[in-house]
Each structure stands twice: as C-alpha cells, then as structure tokens.
Amino acid sequence: MGVTSEQVAAGQAVYTKRTLGAYDFVVLGVSNRFIWKCRTPRLVDHYNRHITPNHLDVGVGTGYFLDHCSMAAPAPRIALMDLNQSTLDFASRRIARYKPEAYLRNVLEPIPLDAAKFDSVGINYLLHCVPSSIESKAAAFDHLKALMNPGAVLFGSTLLHGGVSRNGAAKRLMDFYNKKGIFSNRHDHLDGLKEALGRRFRDVSVEVVGCAALFSARV
Ligand SMILES: C[S@@+](CC[C@H](N)C(=O)[O-])C[C@H]1O[C@@H](n2cnc3c(N)ncnc32)[C@H](O)[C@@H]1O
C-alpha cells in the first residue's frame, strides 16, 4: 500500500493552536470515555508503568500525558518529536518545567538524530493517525528502535478497527475521521499489531481496552 505525502500530512494537519485548545476536553475527556471506551486515567496509568527518566515522546499532541504522569526523577530528560510544529510548541510550553528537547520529524521516515539514545519511547494515539496498513506503518517501529538503548521500552496505545469491539458511535466517528484523513486505521487489526511488534521486539504485551490496544515492548 503506497503512502502519499498528502496522506502523511493529513494525519497531523488537524492539530492547530485552536484545535489543540479543545483536544484535552473533546478527545481525552469525552471521546475516550464515551466513544472509544478507554478512559484517560487508564492511559495515564500506562505512562506511569513505563516512562523512564530518559524518555522520548512521539506524536505529542497537547503533552497531556507527560504533564499528568508521575516522573520517577525530579529532572528527567524528556524529548518531544512530531511532524507538526504547533504540537511541539504547545507541548513544550506545557512541560517547560522539564526543559524538553524538541524534534520536528516524520516517524515514517528514518530519523536522523544527533543525540543520546532513550530508555523509553511513548507513542500514544500516534499509529491510528499515520497512513496505510499496520505492516507498512510499522516502519515507525524500526525508525524508533534505532533511537533506543538496549533494554529500552516502547509503549503507547492505538485505536483499532479490527479485533476490538466498537459500538455504533465508535464506528461512525472512526469512519468520519478516516474519510477526513485524520485517522488512517481502516486496515488496523489487533493481530497485525501483535505481529508487527513481535517481529521487532521482545517482552511484547498488548491489552485491549474498548477500541484501544495498549502495548509495550522491549528492545
Ligand atoms: C492523536 S494525536 C496524539 C497526541 C498525544 N500523544 C495523545 O495521546 O493525546 C497524534 C499526534 O501525532 C502527530 N503525528 C501525526 N502523524 C505523524 C508523523 N507521521 N510523524 C510524527 N508525528 C505525527 C500529530 O501531529 C499529533 O501530535
């Protein structure tokens, strides 16, 4: 399945200063609870379980999870990576207390980075925004693996089309977002996600909560 630069751009274009101002309420407040049936505190808990004091977050949105999770160290190294400068700016301001590094990069391409490697990488709600099938979007796993120290953990969650139970509202909203290019998860199935992680990482764990698959995997 070929990917155009327009499709890649569409997966991040919706995140402007204005929409980011509403994101926490609309997505993390209303949609997670009532539509995707995976409450935001469950995702914060996933961060708390896996984040380390040497962390890279990719597809940062508003930076909500970095702001709300528990950091084990008072001065962690936090790096932000996104294809969208508005999200990088928004999240950087929000967690300015950690003096984050910020990198404008496309996760679907090899990622040149002249910086020390990371012990944890978070990709929450990123994969359902990037185009094509799980097999081809899993190129992101390879690109991120190259930035991780031995034993580092990749974790996050993604909304799936197949292998999860979706209520009527979830089906309608996913279809709408897919038509707009905001989501690209029509071909995303739980089995494909497990296989793509299993081929690249060890200690793979995938748990379904509502429409979301919460995963973690080690280099
Ligand atoms: C749904 S938001 C998730 C935000 C946040 N992680 C959360 O869970 O609330 C998706 C994020 O992925 C970013 N993104 C989309 N496509 C990308 C790509 N190809 N490379 C890097 N970031 C991308 C968007 O700009 C946006 O910040």
Side-chain angles (χ1 to χ4, degrees):
M1 223 177 286
V3 176
T4 65
S5 54
E6 286 79 14
Q7 287 172 313
V8 176
Q12 54 79 47
V14 70
Y15 305 101
T16 61
K17 212 171 161 190
R18 194 168 62 86
T19 59
L20 286 169
Y23 181 92
D24 287 1
F25 175 72
V26 174
V27 178
L28 303 181
V30 179
S31 300
N32 276 356
R33 181 169 179 185
F34 296 109
I35 299 181
W36 311 134
K37 301 282 184 188
C38 177
R39 290 182 182 223
T40 298
R42 178 67 188 84
L43 298 176
V44 174
D45 183 51
H46 199 50
Y47 263 76
N48 289 340
R49 283 185 208 178
H50 298 294
I51 197 164
T52 71
N54 179 21
H55 177 77
L56 169 67
D57 219 66
V58 187
V60 296
T62 61
Y64 177 92
F65 291 99
L66 296 173
D67 193 22
H68 284 81
C69 73
S70 314
M71 297 285 179
R77 175 190 178 211
I78 303 290
L80 308 176
M81 186 177 288
D82 207 291
L83 187 54
N84 182 322
Q85 189 62 50
S86 299
T87 60
L88 284 176
D89 293 344
F90 196 102
S92 294
R93 267 197 304 277
R94 186 167 196 174
I95 59 155
R97 63 189 183 278
Y98 297 131
K99 301 185 174 59
E101 300 163 32
Y103 302 103
L104 189 66
R105 300 283 192 282
N106 177 4
V107 79
L108 294 179
E109 289 175 1
I111 303 169
L113 201 69
D114 189 13
K117 294 189 178 190
F118 299 93
D119 296 323
S120 56
V121 175
I123 51 170
N124 201 63
Y125 278 17
L126 169 70
L127 292 175
H128 60 247
C129 298
V130 301
S132 200
S133 61
I134 284 271
E135 291 69 30
S136 87
K137 58 177 91 175
F141 295 153
D142 297 321
H143 302 152
L144 294 172
K145 196 175 169 186
L147 309 181
M148 297 168 72
N149 284 318
V153 62
L154 175 83
F155 70 93
S157 68
T158 188
L159 297 170
L160 294 173
H161 205 266
V164 298
S165 69
R166 299 181 305 147
N167 61 25
K171 285 179 187 164
R172 283 192 294 279
L173 192 61
M174 256 187 217
D175 281 352
F176 174 75
Y177 284 158
N178 272 279
K179 276 190 193 117
K180 294 267 175 206
I182 296 169
F183 280 17
S184 294
N185 70 345
R186 274 203 186 100
H187 307 286
D188 293 3
H189 193 284
L190 181 62
D191 295 338
L193 176 67
K194 285 181 179 169
E195 201 188 309
L197 287 168
R199 253 188 277 126
R200 295 165 173 86
F201 297 96
R202 60 186 175 84
D203 296 345
V204 172
S205 155
V206 182
E207 183 191 348
V208 172
V209 181
C211 304
L214 279 61
F215 55 84
S216 64
R218 278 188 194 279
V219 173

